[in-house]
Amino acid sequence: MYLIKERFFDIGDDYDITDEHGNKVLHVDGKVLSLRNRTVIEDLSGNEVASVHRHLVSLRPTYEIRIGGEKAAEVKKKLFTPFREKFTIDVPGPDDLEMTGNLIDREFVIERGGQGIAVVSKRWFRIRDTYAVNVLAGQDDLLILAGVVALELAMSRKAEKDED
């Protein structure tokens, strides 16, 4: 299980991803001035291991995940999904992932082929938001964490538009 603490929902903020014991696993650099909402995920040595950025021209919110400098997936919001938010993590080949959940409570399930492989759950700890990301063993943890970062970027962008 991973914990994502601090002001995770604010675009441009930096935050850490820790394990359930509080040990720092990854650092997320929000790149506050980035036109494309580029976010970089770094290892403990400060090396970029993944990035997430928004496509500027698309009909629906679309984010590209790059791992090791290579395109690993695109996260796309499904258009007409009443009562639930639904995103596809489109990976090369047939093993796409689906993120389905509740936007208000920020509770999501990530599935591959109809089988749950991860759960994202928002929990309140004092005055900080903490998101627990529980990934089943044998899955691509970095891809799933980057997918959650893309999800949060999309939801933050939607919240900004709703305020305008």
Side-chain angles (χ1 to χ4, degrees):
M1 178 167 44
Y2 299 94
L3 299 176
I4 304 173
K5 295 183 181 181
E6 297 294 338
R7 297 171 53 128
F8 180 50
F9 52 86
D10 287 340
I11 294 174
D13 282 352
D14 292 357
Y15 48 90
D16 293 326
I17 298 174
T18 65
D19 64 16
E20 65 268 22
H21 305 292
N23 301 313
K24 184 176 169 180
V25 178
L26 297 166
H27 176 74
V28 181
D29 181 354
K31 303 293 184 195
V32 70
L33 298 177
S34 174
L35 177 63
R36 294 168 47 164
N37 291 351
R38 186 170 189 269
T39 299
V40 174
I41 302 171
E42 300 170 342
D43 64 16
L44 297 179
S45 300
N47 300 312
E48 181 178 320
V49 294
S51 66
V52 179
H53 73 269
R54 181 176 57 89
H55 284 199
L56 293 176
V57 180
S58 61
L59 295 175
R60 56 188 169 174
T62 302
Y63 291 81
E64 182 176 303
I65 297 172
R66 298 182 73 79
I67 296 177
E70 300 290 324
K71 182 177 175 181
E74 281 189 349
V75 178
K76 300 175 185 176
K77 184 178 187 308
K78 294 228 175 180
L79 292 177
F80 311 109
T81 54
F83 311 113
R84 314 243 341 132
E85 292 292 323
K86 194 167 190 175
F87 293 79
T88 298
I89 302 176
D90 184 6
V91 297
D95 293 327
D96 291 347
L97 307 177
E98 296 286 332
M99 283 192 289
T100 306
N102 183 316
L103 178 65
I104 295 169
D105 294 331
R106 292 199 176 144
E107 302 281 332
F108 284 82
V109 174
I110 300 174
E111 298 178 331
R112 175 181 282 128
Q115 299 294 318
I117 62 167
V119 176
V120 180
S121 177
K122 178 179 136 178
R123 304 193 195 284
W124 290 96
F125 292 90
R126 297 185 190 143
I127 59 171
R128 297 180 188 172
D129 279 332
T130 298
Y131 294 82
V133 182
N134 194 0
V135 182
L136 288 181
Q139 301 302 318
D140 186 342
D141 292 19
L142 185 57
L143 176 65
I144 290 170
L145 291 169
V148 172
V149 169
L151 168 74
E152 201 53 45
L153 287 170
M155 291 191 316
S156 294
R157 186 160 181 77
K158 181 183 182 306
E160 283 180 351
K161 283 184 177 180
D162 290 347
E163 290 175 2
D164 291 343

